[in-house]
Amino acid sequence: MQRQRTSVKSGAIHRAATKSRKLLLIPLCFFVISALSSCEGSISGNLEQQAELQGSSSQGESSDTLSTVARTAASSVNSAVSFVVFNANRTFPEGLNDNSNPYLAYIEQHTGIDITIIAPPYSSYQEKLNLIMASDAHPDLINTSDPAWVSRFVEEGALMPLGGLLEQYGSELLEAFPPEAWDGVTFNGDIYAVPSLTEVSGNEVMYARKDWLDALGLDPPVTLEDYYEVMRAFTYDDPDGNGRDDTWGITIMPAGLSRTAPFFGAFGVPRSVNGIMQWKEVDGELVYSGILPETEEALSFLAMLYGDGILDREFILNKNSTFVNKIVNGRVGMFSANWFDTRGPILDNMLKDPDAQWIRLPYPVGKDGLSGTAERDLLQSYSVIPAGSGNAKEVIQVLAFIAGKGYRDLKLGFQGEVWHLDNGVMVTDEGKHNEHIYRGTLHAIADPNDPAVRKERLDSLGKQYEMNDNVEYVLAHVLRSDFRGPPTPSMGRYGTKLQKLEDEAFTQIIMGISQGNAFDEFVKQWIREGGWEISNEVNAWFRDSKAWEGLGP
């Protein structure tokens, strides 16, 4: 490295048996930034974290998806439904697949409804949803994590209002999710989606190599200045003691500038995936977090890290696998981790290097005493029913079972197969848990995220990983968006384009490609290209919500 610097509940298994540091050359940067910003990975939002981006699908896959929808739509009867779902590249044991597995059989057995699962490819999921909506054959349910997509098709009249259906057939669903979740799927006074809650309404938490801190005689950092000094030492002071110039202080992800939330938090800025939902009240109005003056300060700090050779100079090339490998192989001493990374790259690094030790750090504190991490959307995904479906009642009944009576089995896996009780304590078989991980596709369609079940599940995977502790720590330090409403119509029209604009501008600022008043120019362009309309809609919601508060007791 050079620096310029399966026995399910037995009745279901039969059905299952019948049914995949070298410094960058500046001329290449524009190409790479543009290519990254046009990827759909950020659209996947809360669903993308545990899956690797892969290549685009072929046209043949598009045809296969549409033909499957057409076949199931044509053959639909009252007891048969078709679901389009995001499977996040989850894999199946040999002999099983999306439509032949014990968890799907379990749902069908308990609802009496036959379900056909259609799982478009990870890398082109949203594109396939658009093709499906443009076709004549619609499925009975579509699950998406893109709020702007939902807003767009609500506005076009292509989705079915669900309020009356839920009252008649889904009272359990209405009770399973909190009022603010239903607020997030209510458009023009009616419900248009069944929500699925994010497991943790926040994500990133800072971790560092404790053995490197000890080797260099450093204390864990607290302030932003402390962080700078530790990252500088991790870069230049040979923390691994191998005599080579082969470490970075920190690395981040280029797509959506993820793994940076705590640094923006040090400036009081909530910034995360699906950033268009992140707003902050300033002088009685809501302002989009991406155009706040404090955001420019945070970008300047990251640009300083990059300019000083502390931030991985190759971060622009990072994909998830690249990012993880740098941690596992001991090339990076600090990173903004997912709350579950203690059981992922951190664990893998410690297995590879027995001397490696990691500790969770306090969030960096900025000059004004601010710190924290961005709130993730409350909603992980939206399950909508296309307006042409003739099986809406059955869809609601299936979702009610997933979020209700079937929730524990779908979330935890089957007792006696994935987990067992040892003196009253739940113990998960990690191998079986991983083998059955595909069940997540089903429970994620309508997940009420029961905190007690979450704690039970995470602790059963190994308390030594401190995953539930990390969750509680994140939740205690979340910087919440002051906008709590549903996606607005203009978000549907302009959100994707504005996110691309932001990703390109911010990356260029960090890498020193843009000079002068680049941030001010970005703000002007953001407002001009749709941000003004979004701001008006968001503030109309804000005024209405304040008025309703004034009517309260």
Side-chain angles (χ1 to χ4, degrees), residues 328-345:
V328 173
N329 294 324
R331 302 278 72 84
V332 176
M334 182 189 297
F335 75 111
S336 188
N338 288 317
W339 55 265
F340 50 81
D341 280 346
T342 48
R343 191 172 167 266

Side-chain angles (χ1 to χ4, degrees), residues 4-5 23-24 248 306-309 311-316:
Q4 283 201 20
R5 249 196 94 159
L23 183 61
L24 294 175
W248 297 105
Y306 186 84
D308 291 350
L311 169 58
D312 173 13
R313 286 293 187 105
E314 295 177 343
F315 86 85
I316 192 64

Side-chain angles (χ1 to χ4, degrees), residues 386-398:
S389 170
N391 301 305
K393 169 187 172 182
E394 287 77 14
V395 170
I396 296 298
Q397 290 173 333
V398 169

